[in-house]
Amino acid sequence: MQADTFIPRRLDDQWKIGLWDADVAAPFMFALFVGFTAGTKLGFMVCAGIGFWLSRTLARVKADKHPSFAMHWAYWALPTNPITAMRCTPPSHIRRMVG
């Protein structure tokens, strides 16, 4: 029974898109989509530049923080709606916990 088995060392890594984390790549991909729908080369280049700038800024803000910093910030700072509401946690506008 000489089988090479791969044992992963890190199970809780962030999702990756290329070399970027998924939450850092999302603004760039959204900006590429908006630039593609603009229909002009100039609009595409401007949106790609803005998306790249947003992704770099988010990566720098997130650099020394928890890996899920962007998701935690979005939960606490953005308004809740039925799509993003979590059932197992209280709403983000309730700041004081009892217990």
Side-chain angles (χ1 to χ4, degrees):
M1 294 199 76
Q2 293 288 340
D4 287 337
T5 57
F6 174 72
I7 300 172
R9 288 185 274 168
R10 299 175 303 236
L11 296 176
D12 295 331
D13 280 349
Q14 290 273 326
W15 289 9
K16 299 279 187 185
I17 298 176
L19 298 175
W20 286 350
D21 292 338
D23 56 350
V24 174
F28 181 67
M29 291 174 32
F30 180 73
L32 284 180
F33 175 73
V34 170
F36 181 73
T37 58
T40 63
K41 291 179 184 178
L42 179 64
F44 182 77
M45 296 304 287
V46 167
C47 288
I50 290 171
F52 185 75
W53 177 77
L54 283 173
S55 294
R56 294 272 301 177
T57 303
L58 182 61
R60 286 181 181 162
V61 167
K62 202 180 115 171
D64 293 332
K65 294 179 177 57
H66 189 271
S68 297
F69 168 75
M71 186 171 59
H72 294 172
W73 178 85
Y75 175 74
W76 287 106
L78 299 178
T80 55
N81 59 35
I83 295 171
T84 61
M86 296 183 193
R87 291 183 178 87
C88 61
T89 58
S92 64
H93 66 274
I94 298 175
R95 301 292 182 178
R96 182 172 288 183
M97 299 283 189
V98 177

